[in-house]
Amino acid sequence: MKKSSWIIRFLNSVPGGKTIADLIFNEDFGALHREFLGFKFTSPLGVGGGIDPEGRYFDLFGHIGAGFDVIGPLTADNAISSIRNFYDCRSECIPFISVTHRPKSIEDEQYIKDYSDCFSLSYDFAPLFVIDLSNPMLEPDLIRDIINVILDIRFTYEEYKPVIIRLGKHLMDDELDSLTDFCRMNNVDALMCCTQKMVKHVYEHTGGRLPIMGYGALKKGSAVSDMLQSGATLVCLENELQRRGPFYITRLKRQLAYLEYNDTIYSE
């Protein structure tokens, strides 16, 4: 983890560190339990891709209260070495693998090959996949081509695993609508949206018929709550966890639980 909190590094390295993390940070709020694509999550809050690119802290994140960890983004170059860090770990924190392209890819054919190679290499090692297509360099037509290839590869495996497509906030509304419709028609399981505005737009466009994950550097429980109320089921957290450490997730969960409790009281 780049620039990680010293507390996270310490808890991950010392004997009994995960037990200590459970006692201090891992508060369970039944009101925050979520179900998404057939999986049950102890919290809607998870660790976003880029924070734990190699899966080194995956097991610990479950002990500090995260419901899931998006591992990666992985490329065909580092997929196998990264998978070894978390494969066979037993944790309440559910792993997503985030798939992307090699940084030096330029040609469309190479982009497609990068995604297909990485997806194929990692398919057996996680229950859910995020295909990161948020790069502004990817044109909508190329995004469709990559999605088609990914779904064709999934069809060759006996075990069906959900695919979530992450789209960038640079897309115009009409482009976002067109790609959202394409995903729905081609059995993409969910979308990941990078802003509350995107979440709300996709939710309204689909009438809530396509599951959504939110993503962002959210500092307060009210910001997370707004994204959830706009239509997201889960929210990936980025950046702040690296600066603030595990107290960040604990604080957000308490704020969310408080907000949900008050909403329940006032709606009765």
Side-chain angles (χ1 to χ4, degrees), residues 108 151 161 186 195:
D108 288 0
L151 297 179
K161 295 185 178 180
N186 288 276
T195 66

Side-chain angles (χ1 to χ4, degrees), residues 176-213:
L176 179 59
D177 291 344
S178 178
L179 287 170
T180 298
D181 292 339
F182 178 83
C183 288
R184 288 189 62 202
M185 290 186 292
N186 288 276
N187 297 319
V188 167
D189 299 278
L191 289 185
M192 179 184 285
C193 300
C194 301
T195 66
Q196 181 192 347
K197 179 182 177 181
M198 279 186 70
V199 170
K200 184 176 182 181
H201 184 92
V202 170
Y203 185 83
E204 292 178 349
H205 180 71
T206 63
R209 289 184 289 272
L210 185 65
I212 303 170
M213 292 178 67

Side-chain angles (χ1 to χ4, degrees), residues 42-264:
T42 57
S43 168
L45 302 177
V47 180
I51 294 179
D52 187 24
E54 298 178 344
R56 296 184 183 278
Y57 300 88
F58 161 68
D59 191 27
L60 176 65
F61 287 143
H63 294 277
I64 66 173
F68 61 95
D69 179 17
V70 179
I71 296 166
L74 305 185
T75 69
D77 295 328
N78 66 359
I80 297 301
S81 60
S82 298
I83 285 167
R84 289 181 184 141
N85 292 322
F86 68 91
Y87 185 55
D88 277 344
C89 274
R90 297 291 179 261
S91 172
E92 288 187 342
C93 185
I94 297 176
F96 292 67
I97 286 180
S98 177
V99 174
T100 190
H101 59 87
R102 293 178 177 90
K104 295 182 180 180
S105 296
I106 298 175
E107 301 297 330
D108 288 0
E109 293 77 9
Q110 187 61 52
Y111 268 114
I112 295 171
K113 186 177 186 301
D114 286 350
Y115 280 98
S116 61
D117 287 350
C118 186
F119 185 64
S120 298
L121 286 169
S122 55
Y123 192 86
D124 290 329
F125 300 99
L128 304 106
F129 289 85
V130 174
I131 311 301
D132 187 353
L133 301 174
S134 61
N135 188 334
M137 298 299 292
L138 297 176
E139 296 292 335
D141 285 344
L142 180 55
I143 290 175
R144 293 184 182 90
D145 290 341
I146 294 171
I147 293 172
N148 278 330
V149 169
I150 291 294
L151 297 179
D152 286 345
I153 292 172
R154 179 173 66 175
F155 187 71
T156 66
Y157 289 87
E158 290 186 8
E159 185 178 1
Y160 181 97
K161 295 185 178 180
V163 167
I164 300 102
I165 300 298
R166 178 182 172 184
L167 297 176
K169 59 185 177 182
H170 65 282
L171 294 169
M172 303 296 289
D173 286 350
D174 58 338
E175 294 175 325
L176 179 59
D177 291 344
S178 178
L179 287 170
T180 298
D181 292 339
F182 178 83
C183 288
R184 288 189 62 202
M185 290 186 292
N186 288 276
N187 297 319
V188 167
D189 299 278
L191 289 185
M192 179 184 285
C193 300
C194 301
T195 66
Q196 181 192 347
K197 179 182 177 181
M198 279 186 70
V199 170
K200 184 176 182 181
H201 184 92
V202 170
Y203 185 83
E204 292 178 349
H205 180 71
T206 63
R209 289 184 289 272
L210 185 65
I212 303 170
M213 292 178 67
Y215 187 92
L218 307 175
K219 296 182 180 181
K220 296 182 179 180
S222 57
V224 178
S225 180
D226 288 343
M227 187 167 278
L228 292 171
Q229 291 184 16
S230 294
T233 303
L234 304 177
V235 176
C236 298
L237 305 171
E238 63 170 346
N239 299 335
E240 290 298 312
L241 178 62
Q242 294 173 300
R243 291 193 287 267
R244 299 171 184 262
F247 291 104
Y248 170 58
I249 291 180
T250 303
R251 178 172 60 83
L252 287 183
K253 286 176 67 176
R254 289 175 178 173
Q255 292 174 353
L256 276 179
Y258 174 80
L259 290 170
E260 295 220 359
Y261 173 78
N262 281 315
D263 284 346
T264 301

